[in-house]
Amino acid sequence: MPTVAKIAATAALAGTVAGAAVGVSSADPAPAGPAQRVAVIGLGGTIAGTSDRRTDLETYRPGTRPIGELVDSLRPEIGDVAAVSTEDFGQKGSGEYTVTDLYDLSQLVERRLRDHDSVVVSTGSATMEELSYFLDLTVRSPKPVVVTGAMRPWTAIGSDGPVNLYNAIRLAASNRTTCFGTVIALNDQILPARDATKTDSTRVHTFTTHEYGDLGTIDQAGIRVQRAPARVQHCDDPARWATPFDLTTIPRDTLPRVDIAHSYLDAPAEPITAAVTAGAKGIVFAGTPSPSQANAAMATKAITMVATNGYGSGSITVDPKMGVVSGGDLAPKKARLLLLLALSKTADHDQIVAWFRDHGNQQF
């Protein structure tokens, strides 16, 4: 792990981009001020949900309230933080979106960052870790992108939605995560898109990182940034900071199908062969494949296979002679997104291995 001094040095360097003040410090109590222009994009989800009774915390209709209404309910306080614009990308549960929707969302985020200082995306928690990582891999601007949501509907007693949205806008307006890529702001936590994962179906502290910890916290005293994603070290070199997955060079209709095969005792071969028959160009294994799965996968032609850890943490090492890509310690759902983006550009095994090493598992 890098030292705090090294993170501070690289983060301070990152602060030169777009006039940002990025760094590691104990707190940042001063508001950014209304001069900061933050675009808030709503996708629905629990945070925009409506319950029949204020005590209905788990039964509600997601995505029924426009994002403009949610932001307006935070006034006048939000006016002291930023000049906020709002728009709805969609109003539904996060599980109803597709990869091509994420493609469109990423391009919308890029457009808003041309005339805003940062972007906040409000969405459902079910696929938040996938949405945020897709943005992390595809958004080219180093400006802050913050994803947030809620575990309780906006209308419920004790809803976490209002404070999560307020804190996400506050974090975006602070510019503290310039060059961090996409981050998640939830439950007073700041988490990296690469490592964040949902761990509980109902509790507000559901998002965590299994091994590396939060990036920082947000509370009344201020915004605390305690560590930075590895990519921040290349903030002064846009060619190295950005990933190779520029969506302007990837046609929307060429995103390949990539499936995940979960491994378990006596897991059969049929799901593997069915996925290939259905058109899958890649298979991500979550856990060690069973003999039947391995035999079926090795019998396929022109299918890229990635091995990942299906247990929550820990890295996967693969013998290069096997022709299988190591997902490192990427979660299977994250490895799937990286693989489909990689396959949209090349089928070269060595190049895909390099991208998983250099971008999927980037280190200080």
Side-chain angles (χ1 to χ4, degrees), residues 144-179:
V145 177
V146 181
V147 176
T148 194
M151 293 300 292
R152 296 172 177 171
W154 194 268
T155 54
I157 291 175
S159 174
D160 52 330
V163 69
N164 284 345
L165 183 56
Y166 176 80
N167 278 340
I169 296 171
R170 187 175 161 209
L171 176 62
S174 76
N175 284 328
R176 296 291 297 280
T177 59
T178 295
C179 280

Side-chain angles (χ1 to χ4, degrees), residues 4-279:
V4 172
K6 185 174 182 179
I7 294 177
T10 54
L13 177 62
T16 63
V17 177
V22 181
V24 176
S25 64
S26 60
D28 178 22
Q36 288 292 313
R37 299 162 298 167
V38 179
V40 181
I41 301 171
L43 277 74
T46 297
I47 191 172
T50 301
S51 54
D52 292 332
R53 299 176 299 176
R54 294 202 304 150
T55 53
D56 291 342
L57 306 183
E58 298 167 23
T59 55
Y60 51 86
R61 297 177 298 281
T64 57
R65 313 179 85 83
I67 191 63
E69 176 185 327
L70 306 190
V71 171
D72 284 345
S73 71
L74 302 178
R75 302 186 191 281
E77 292 84 0
I78 203 67
D80 295 330
V81 176
V84 179
S85 68
T86 63
E87 64 185 297
D88 286 299
F89 178 84
Q91 289 181 267
K92 52 189 177 182
S94 61
E96 298 177 66
Y97 289 102
T98 65
V99 172
T100 51
D101 289 328
L102 300 189
Y103 179 102
D104 295 339
L105 174 65
S106 179
Q107 293 201 314
L108 175 61
V109 169
E110 289 277 22
R111 291 196 298 272
R112 295 298 167 263
L113 288 173
R114 293 172 192 161
D115 55 10
H116 290 77
D117 299 297
S118 55
V119 165
V120 169
V121 176
S122 174
T123 187
S125 63
T127 58
M128 183 181 292
E129 57 190 279
E130 293 165 271
L131 178 149
S132 60
Y133 191 52
F134 190 91
L135 294 180
D136 192 55
L137 289 172
T138 58
V139 172
R140 315 290 289 174
S141 171
K143 294 179 181 179
V145 177
V146 181
V147 176
T148 194
M151 293 300 292
R152 296 172 177 171
W154 194 268
T155 54
I157 291 175
S159 174
D160 52 330
V163 69
N164 284 345
L165 183 56
Y166 176 80
N167 278 340
I169 296 171
R170 187 175 161 209
L171 176 62
S174 76
N175 284 328
R176 296 291 297 280
T177 59
T178 295
C179 280
F180 279 35
T182 299
V183 303
I184 292 174
L186 210 69
N187 194 38
D188 299 343
Q189 300 165 278
I190 307 169
L191 305 116
R194 180 196 180 277
D195 303 321
T197 186
K198 184 176 180 178
T199 64
D200 195 289
S201 60
T202 57
R203 304 292 180 258
V204 297
H205 60 273
T206 179
F207 271 80
T208 188
T209 65
H210 285 298
E211 294 194 88
Y212 306 119
D214 299 352
L215 297 176
T217 57
I218 312 171
D219 54 30
Q220 183 174 339
I223 297 168
R224 294 174 174 83
V225 179
Q226 304 293 354
R227 74 177 184 95
R231 66 188 305 187
V232 77
Q233 66 191 308
H234 302 306
C235 191
D236 62 334
D237 185 354
R240 295 188 66 190
W241 180 86
T243 75
F245 311 118
D246 181 355
L247 294 185
T248 63
T249 68
I250 301 173
R252 184 177 185 271
D253 58 359
T254 63
L255 293 174
R257 173 172 173 165
V258 173
D259 289 344
I260 299 174
H262 288 272
S263 301
Y264 49 90
L265 188 67
D266 289 337
E270 286 81 1
I272 305 297
T273 55
V276 174
T277 301

